[in-house]
Amino acid sequence: EAGVVQSPRYKIIEKKQPVAFWCNPISGHNTLYWYLQNLGQGPELLIRYENEEAVDDSQLPKDRFSAERLKGVDSTLKIQPAELGDSAVYLCASSSTGGIRETQYFGPGTRLLVL
Amino acid sequence: AQSVTQLGSHVSVSEGALVLLRCNYSSSVPPYLFWYVQYPNQGLQLLLKYTSAATLVKGINGFEAEFKKSETSFHLTKPSAHMSDAAEYFCAVTGGYNKLIFGAGTRLAVHP
């Protein structure tokens, strides 16, 4: 069974440029998560989807970040414009449901460097 | 609110020695607790999880953790370290909300 797929794996951009990350969850998983992992820290949730609906986006900086999960499968996370402080790893995870006992399966992440 | 504290950002052990990674949690509701491992340039992989069944939880790669409510702890152990165990380890808690709250991580180094 394929795991969570993310692309690109690495991205280098100039500040103020836009950037987008893509995630394909494990087949059949209804719940999808985007996490931000700063260097030397644990991941922090940005947004959680149940199918197409964003049910927890309280930590998403909505002035520059946006996300979508059309058709309840793939998801895209966008930053526009990027700032120096956005340099981090962006992790996507999925679980079969959003239950609190459910295991979340993580992708390899996209490492973003903003210059 | 839920939170996790991992004591020791770096732990170094000899190959064959006991591994002990410490995790203390705070939760206003009965917690569910997880340990994840992250190898360089990879995503997080679940080692084990506590979901209110047995307090001693066995995971993959010979790791286990014991839930101690009185100490609000969920420490991760392995009797004998292997070089391949070198990685970063994250403890996480869920509680009243359907999201994982991670600790800052502990980087484990294993030397010959």
Side-chain angles (χ1 to χ4, degrees), chain B residues 4-5 7 11 13 16 28 33 35 37 55 59 67 70 72 77 80 98 103 106:
Chain B
V4 170
T5 301
L7 295 176
V11 171
V13 301
S28 56
L33 294 155
W35 274 100
V37 61
T55 56
F67 172 69
S70 61
T72 61
T77 60
S80 177
N98 293 2
T106 297

Side-chain angles (χ1 to χ4, degrees), chain A residues 65-85:
Chain A
F65 285 65
S66 64
E68 61 182 10
R69 191 183 183 197
L70 300 176
K71 301 182 181 179
V73 181
D74 297 2
S75 178
T76 302
L77 178 68
K78 298 178 181 178
I79 308 175
Q80 182 171 10
E83 297 179 351
L84 295 177

Side-chain angles (χ1 to χ4, degrees), chain A residues 1-5 23-32 69 72-74 94-97 105:
Chain A
E1 177 183 276
V4 177
V5 179
C23 173
N24 182 247
I26 292 173
S27 178
H29 280 193
N30 295 324
T31 308
L32 183 146
R69 191 183 183 197
V73 181
D74 297 2
S94 70
S95 62
S96 58
T97 72
Y105 297 87

Side-chain angles (χ1 to χ4, degrees), chain B residues 12-105:
Chain B
S12 182
V13 301
S14 299
E15 191 173 21
L18 171 71
V19 176
L20 171 60
L21 304 182
R22 300 178 185 274
C23 172
N24 287 89
Y25 70 90
S26 173
S27 179
S28 56
V29 297
Y32 299 119
L33 294 155
F34 302 76
W35 274 100
Y36 279 85
V37 61
Q38 187 175 34
Y39 298 100
N41 297 317
Q42 295 187 29
L44 282 73
Q45 179 184 8
L46 181 71
L47 280 176
L48 50 81
K49 64 180 180 181
Y50 167 76
T51 56
S52 74
T55 56
L56 182 62
V57 182
K58 295 186 183 298
I60 62 172
N61 301 339
F63 285 94
E64 63 181 37
E66 186 171 9
F67 172 69
K68 292 186 177 180
K69 183 178 179 180
S70 61
E71 299 178 7
T72 61
S73 69
F74 191 56
H75 302 330
L76 182 70
T77 60
K78 181 174 181 177
S80 177
H82 191 272
M83 298 294 289
S84 61
D85 294 326
E88 185 136 25
Y89 292 79
F90 292 94
C91 182
V93 64
T94 60
Y97 301 98
N98 293 2
K99 67 181 181 183
L100 288 172
I101 307 298
F102 285 89

